[in-house]
Amino acid sequence: MFGVHERFDVPRPPAVLMKGSTAGSRRGRRAVIAKKSGAAATSDTVVMTELLVLIAQHRDKDAFSRLFAHYAPRIKSYLMRQGANQASAEELSQEAMVSVWRKADRFDPTKASAGTWIFTVARNLRIDALRKERRPNFDPEDPAFVPEAETSPDRAVEVGETQVKIKAAIAELPEEQAEVIRLSFYQDKPHGEIAEELDLPLGTVKSRLRLAMRRLRLALGEEQ
Amino acid sequence: MNASHHPSDDLLWSYAAGSLDEPSSILIATHLSLCPACRAVVAKAEGMGGELFENSGTADIDAGSLDAVLARLDETEEAPRIALETVGEEAESVSVPRPLKDYLPGSIPSLSWRWLGPGVHYTAIKTEARGPKVGLLRIAPGTKVPMHGHSGNEMTMVLAGGYTDATGNYQRGDVEAADDGLVHQPVADAGEECLCLVVTEGELQPTGMIAKVLQPFFRF
Ligand SMILES: [Zn+2]
């Protein structure tokens, strides 16, 4: 296991190596991009996750500043796509980052990557602030909660690997499936409204989502 | 014992994306409290959401943004969450998962139950939200719920006891989704009162003889 500080200095691959080859079929090129961005994601994901752990354990403000630089602009972009104007998106992204600081001890690196966890924080804040609704969430401390049968000790490593596989699976999705996924995560719209927007029957939207889910499961080695 | 009837992936994904309405989310979150398998599906959908979040662009933040946030980090942190044991725990006979408990003003027996028909009681759960209605249904052991159809979707999750209809047997944690058009006649299992969380879109349409008599009561 590397120490935390060595991991922070993982260099990014030089930009010239990041460019995909211009030759080859569309499919082949996509695979190259997926592979390269997958490698970049590994170091990013690891760094961000460790920053978040530092914040949780040591209330480290330098770590927080670095996390802020990466995620605040993403949260703001997410909120603007969900219909917030520039001023309220700014205010809510600040609110979300304060929330990340306060709730950092609830982040569990064996369950999710930093990006996924911060996405859920931003999502819950959006439901609360933009939709003015409560977000019912399960609580592992709940006496009625039924826990997993067991978790393996290498779960944190698995989470990183899973995230890389998810990334590759998204890059490989046919555009029509990728589109319904983006709309369902990026616009606060029920599947019925997505169907209207794309001028498709609801059944088609649902079946594209199902196909995308199946591909994801295949990518994660859960189905044959 | 884990659930054997689960909500569709479609609903779990909508919940993960944050586009599902609040009443349906109460039922899904309650099911997730009891179902590790569906939590794994939601975790993957959230992983997908996280991936899109990482890669779907950035918006410039204001120059003083980081300083403004840093200045707030030492403020008093939010009050600790209220302990679970505050309301009517002593009277509770059913273990109610927290996502549902948070919406109830008291223990199950203390809620204001409305008589809907022989052996059937209902209480509405208040939300500020748009969308379907959500409530709890209590069915006495062995009771046949009048046959009814649907003008919209209905989702039921068992919290205690169980029931059987043409599609199978449902126990604690199990979810049944009845589509538009399905006509069914659930019968509560013998022995224990059946307690269900029900989310209804549109109105139930009683179709049987007795149900016609009871029709006024089914307008939840
Ligand atoms: Zn389930």
mmCIF file of all heavy atoms in Angstrom, chain B residues 3 6-7 31 35 37-38, ligand 1:
data_model
loop_
_atom_site.group_PDB
_atom_site.id
_atom_site.type_symbol
_atom_site.label_atom_id
_atom_site.label_comp_id
_atom_site.label_asym_id
_atom_site.label_seq_id
_atom_site.Cartn_x
_atom_site.Cartn_y
_atom_site.Cartn_z
ATOM 1 N N ALA B 3 -36.023 -9.640 1.061
ATOM 2 C CA ALA B 3 -37.179 -9.546 0.176
ATOM 3 C C ALA B 3 -36.996 -10.422 -1.061
ATOM 4 O O ALA B 3 -35.873 -10.679 -1.490
ATOM 5 C CB ALA B 3 -37.381 -8.099 -0.244
ATOM 6 N N HIS B 6 -38.907 -7.356 -5.851
ATOM 7 C CA HIS B 6 -38.194 -6.071 -5.814
ATOM 8 C C HIS B 6 -38.802 -5.036 -6.755
ATOM 9 O O HIS B 6 -39.408 -5.395 -7.760
ATOM 10 C CB HIS B 6 -36.724 -6.293 -6.205
ATOM 11 C CG HIS B 6 -36.061 -7.360 -5.387
ATOM 12 N ND1 HIS B 6 -35.448 -7.092 -4.182
ATOM 13 C CD2 HIS B 6 -35.956 -8.696 -5.583
ATOM 14 C CE1 HIS B 6 -34.977 -8.230 -3.681
ATOM 15 N NE2 HIS B 6 -35.270 -9.219 -4.510
ATOM 16 N N PRO B 7 -38.562 -3.759 -6.467
ATOM 17 C CA PRO B 7 -39.002 -2.729 -7.429
ATOM 18 C C PRO B 7 -38.191 -2.856 -8.716
ATOM 19 O O PRO B 7 -37.083 -3.400 -8.713
ATOM 20 C CB PRO B 7 -38.697 -1.414 -6.722
ATOM 21 C CG PRO B 7 -37.868 -1.734 -5.525
ATOM 22 C CD PRO B 7 -37.952 -3.201 -5.261
ATOM 23 N N HIS B 31 -37.832 0.233 1.173
ATOM 24 C CA HIS B 31 -37.417 -1.074 0.647
ATOM 25 C C HIS B 31 -35.887 -1.218 0.725
ATOM 26 O O HIS B 31 -35.381 -2.261 1.141
ATOM 27 C CB HIS B 31 -37.890 -1.258 -0.790
ATOM 28 C CG HIS B 31 -37.424 -2.542 -1.412
ATOM 29 N ND1 HIS B 31 -37.981 -3.764 -1.121
ATOM 30 C CD2 HIS B 31 -36.408 -2.803 -2.284
ATOM 31 C CE1 HIS B 31 -37.343 -4.718 -1.785
ATOM 32 N NE2 HIS B 31 -36.378 -4.166 -2.513
ATOM 33 N N CYS B 35 -33.269 -4.197 1.908
ATOM 34 C CA CYS B 35 -32.843 -5.014 0.771
ATOM 35 C C CYS B 35 -31.435 -4.667 0.263
ATOM 36 O O CYS B 35 -31.261 -3.762 -0.548
ATOM 37 C CB CYS B 35 -33.852 -4.883 -0.366
ATOM 38 S SG CYS B 35 -33.437 -5.953 -1.750
ATOM 39 N N ALA B 37 -29.675 -6.220 -1.884
ATOM 40 C CA ALA B 37 -29.539 -6.432 -3.333
ATOM 41 C C ALA B 37 -29.915 -5.169 -4.106
ATOM 42 O O ALA B 37 -29.213 -4.762 -5.036
ATOM 43 C CB ALA B 37 -30.413 -7.613 -3.771
ATOM 44 N N CYS B 38 -31.010 -4.535 -3.722
ATOM 45 C CA CYS B 38 -31.415 -3.319 -4.431
ATOM 46 C C CYS B 38 -30.494 -2.142 -4.072
ATOM 47 O O CYS B 38 -30.275 -1.261 -4.908
ATOM 48 C CB CYS B 38 -32.868 -2.974 -4.146
ATOM 49 S SG CYS B 38 -34.013 -4.094 -5.003
HETATM 50 ZN ZN ZN C 1 -34.929 -5.290 -3.397
#
